[in-house]
Amino acid sequence: MLLSELAEKELIEMENGVRYGFLAETECIFDAKTGKIIGFEMPAQMVKIPFQKKKGGMVKYIPWEEIRLIGEDRILFHKTTSTLKQIER
């Protein structure tokens, strides 16, 4: 699979069915030494939760370990966190 194909996929949280936008709208966090993807970081305004107020300024993070399925059109993941694990940038 090409990176450009992966970027076009929509991010969906499995637990609540919340749409987080497209992978292309995120920042990919990876280990510079190994090249391993650690996760994806996105601004909170990307999150589209119906009937709830948006929380401004908070950054959401999807750890790579939480991704459960990469399908034809969507990427399903288990949960997000509001903080990054301590990683070296």
Side-chain angles (χ1 to χ4, degrees):
M1 177 177 295
L2 298 173
L3 181 59
S4 60
E5 294 172 336
L6 194 61
E8 295 172 355
K9 296 186 185 300
E10 189 173 30
L11 295 163
I12 307 287
E13 184 180 22
M14 291 172 53
E15 187 173 309
N16 300 316
V18 175
R19 177 185 177 272
Y20 279 74
F22 292 90
L23 192 66
E25 299 168 337
T26 68
E27 293 290 329
C28 180
I29 310 297
F30 66 96
D31 185 329
K33 293 178 184 175
T34 64
K36 179 182 174 186
I37 296 174
I38 298 170
F40 300 96
E41 188 178 78
M42 69 194 79
Q45 62 265 25
M46 277 183 57
V47 181
K48 304 210 174 13
I49 302 173
F51 310 113
Q52 292 186 5
K53 289 185 178 181
K54 294 181 181 180
K55 297 175 184 172
M58 198 165 196
V59 172
K60 289 289 190 177
Y61 173 70
I62 302 172
W64 180 256
E65 297 84 27
E66 295 297 332
I67 293 177
R68 298 293 182 238
L69 176 70
I70 299 176
E72 196 171 313
D73 298 324
R74 293 172 184 82
I75 297 174
L76 301 178
F77 61 95
H78 183 63
K79 64 180 178 178
T80 63
T81 64
S82 58
T83 58
L84 284 169
K85 295 178 184 175
Q86 290 296 335
I87 59 171
E88 293 181 22
R89 287 194 182 199

